[in-house]
Amino acid sequence: MENSTNQYLLLTPGPLTTTQSVREAMLKDWCTWDDDYNKDIVEVIRTKLVDLATEYNGYTSVLMQGSGSASVEATIGTVIPADGKLLVINNGAYGKRITQIAEYLNIEHHVIELSEVEQPDLEHIANLLDADSDITHVAMVHCETTTGMLNPIEAVCDLVKSRNKIMILDAMSSFGGIPMDIGELGVDFMISSANKCIQGVPGFGFVIAKTSELKQCQGRARSLSLDLYDQWDCMEKNNGKWRFTSPTHTVRAFYQAMLELEQEGGVKARYQRYLSNQRLLVKGMESLGFRCLLPQSLHSPIITSFYSPTAPNYDFKEFYTQLKSHGFVIYPGKVSNADCFRIGNIGDVHNDDIHRLLDAIEQTMFWQKATQ
């Protein structure tokens, strides 16, 4: 591991711990008019992203400034026509965010409201699609980092495509870390971000889309800066040129991160490392007396939620602070009806790091020491 210069390990679902070489890639300035940036960096990234996403022809990619949520908003706000209707499958904070975007943009929508630990019911989705012919698009989050749950994208995509609807997949925290082929799934628009499983730094997101569907989106956008079609059209016509200021340092770091993903052995190899980290984490945490929020069958290799200790003197902020002093940063819980915390294991994190984390947690369990 190359993280000797980091003061702590980020055990979060992004931003995450990056390699020293990714950070060093940001030390050079780039001119956004030059071919060595646009053609040799941006266009290469766009091609590599499509190759990562699918073996099928007919897909393209577009990069968007801002957070991952900005790319979600750009997609929702651009691809749904004025007379369209969005069905949102919501079982976590990020499904809820898609709903909020639709509300802000005055897009007609219907929400399937589920608890954060509940999987979508396929029969219910089918019945809704059959009963409401106005629905044109369906959106769902693949890995809900609210809990760490993986949603059943294969089954949902099959259902959506069988009804000839447009499928929008928020694969923010899963793309690049969990094998998938969006062409095989039938996904029309897939959204992710630089600072997730490809292990870049924050600054832009990206959308991988069916070219034929994206071409139909001209003039639909409800925002100037978040016009997905115009951004794509500009990049297509100008060899990777961004419409507005490009986050050059972040883009260059992402290019380096993509090279390192290839060096690791691609998505399958990275998935195995993440999966090994997560299983080691769960086994170690359970041996320390912690309980997982979700059953193992619903776990993702990205982030895991654990119930908080029930000891009266347990305090998450104190737990967090003490762990940080040992060199580890974890996440607070985000589940509405359960007291829990979350530990991610993506980024430049390896089995040795998980062992060190477990040792640090064992040393930090102050709520037990007070009763001994």
Side-chain angles (χ1 to χ4, degrees), residues 52 176-179 197 258-273:
L52 273 182
I178 297 177
C197 293
M258 293 199 81
L259 297 181
E260 293 179 13
L261 173 60
E262 293 170 4
Q263 292 162 6
E264 186 172 350
V267 175
K268 289 183 180 178
R270 184 154 291 178
Y271 168 72
Q272 289 300 326
R273 172 163 64 85

Side-chain angles (χ1 to χ4, degrees), residues 41-335:
I41 301 295
V42 178
E43 285 296 89
V44 172
I45 286 173
R46 292 181 66 212
T47 300
K48 285 179 180 292
L49 283 173
V50 174
D51 290 343
L52 273 182
T54 183
E55 294 182 356
Y56 285 64
N57 294 324
Y59 280 84
T60 186
S61 68
V62 55
L63 316 183
M64 295 294 297
Q65 299 94 325
S67 66
S69 292
S71 287
V72 175
E73 186 161 348
T75 304
I76 299 299
T78 300
V79 309
I80 300 171
D83 60 351
K85 184 174 182 179
L86 176 65
L87 176 64
V88 183
I89 300 169
N90 171 24
N91 59 353
Y94 301 97
K96 182 179 179 181
R97 190 166 296 173
I98 293 173
T99 303
Q100 290 176 308
I101 288 168
E103 290 170 350
Y104 265 77
L105 299 180
N106 293 316
I107 292 171
E108 189 178 0
H109 60 283
H110 180 87
V111 186
I112 297 176
E113 296 281 7
L114 305 167
S115 78
E116 294 110 328
V117 296
E118 187 180 1
Q119 291 253 291
D121 181 272
L122 295 175
E123 185 177 355
H124 181 50
I125 298 170
N127 290 339
L128 273 173
L129 293 175
D130 292 339
D132 189 348
S133 60
D134 289 341
I135 293 171
T136 54
H137 296 67
V138 179
M140 185 178 73
V141 176
H142 183 200
C143 177
E144 258 294 356
T145 52
T146 308
T147 57
M149 181 166 61
L150 279 181
N151 277 318
I153 55 170
E154 294 87 355
V156 172
C157 287
D158 282 349
L159 182 57
V160 170
K161 300 319 291 182
S162 73
R163 268 64 175 182
N164 296 314
K165 310 300 182 183
I166 301 298
M167 183 69 202
I168 300 170
L169 183 67
D170 177 337
M172 201 65 59
S173 60
S174 60
F175 180 71
I178 297 177
M180 71 179 87
D181 187 313
I182 65 170
E184 186 176 328
L185 290 167
V187 173
D188 298 283
F189 297 91
M190 190 222 75
I191 312 153
S192 192
S193 179
N195 59 295
K196 303 290 184 178
C197 293
I198 296 178
Q199 299 182 183
V201 300
F204 73 94
F206 50 87
V207 181
I208 302 171
K210 280 186 181 174
T211 309
S212 59
E213 292 298 333
L214 186 53
K215 282 182 176 179
Q216 296 180 39
C217 297
Q218 184 175 11
R220 289 183 185 173
R222 295 156 175 87
S223 165
L224 172 65
S225 61
L226 297 180
D227 188 331
L228 190 70
Y229 174 87
D230 273 7
Q231 182 90 330
W232 171 77
D233 189 53
C234 182
M235 288 183 171
E236 287 285 297
K237 291 177 177 175
N238 299 287
N239 298 312
K241 186 78 171 65
W242 302 56
R243 288 185 305 153
F244 308 133
T245 303
S246 166
T248 53
H249 298 78
T250 298
V251 172
R252 185 60 186 81
F254 188 74
Y255 178 85
Q256 176 63 28
M258 293 199 81
L259 297 181
E260 293 179 13
L261 173 60
E262 293 170 4
Q263 292 162 6
E264 186 172 350
V267 175
K268 289 183 180 178
R270 184 154 291 178
Y271 168 72
Q272 289 300 326
R273 172 163 64 85
Y274 289 170
L275 189 63
S276 175
N277 285 344
Q278 196 268 346
R279 288 176 174 172
L280 184 63
L281 173 68
V282 169
K283 183 179 179 182
M285 290 294 282
E286 289 180 340
S287 73
L288 292 174
F290 292 93
R291 292 188 302 123
C292 295
L293 175 71
L294 298 175
Q296 190 171 348
S297 61
L298 299 182
H299 284 188
S300 74
I302 307 301
I303 190 168
T304 310
S305 291
F306 297 94
Y307 282 107
S308 297
T310 56
N313 59 325
Y314 170 78
D315 176 74
F316 174 76
K317 189 174 181 180
E318 178 64 23
F319 182 37
Y320 174 93
T321 302
Q322 290 198 28
L323 267 186
K324 191 172 182 179
S325 72
H326 284 275
F328 301 96
V329 171
I330 64 173
Y331 251 31
K334 213 168 188 176
V335 179

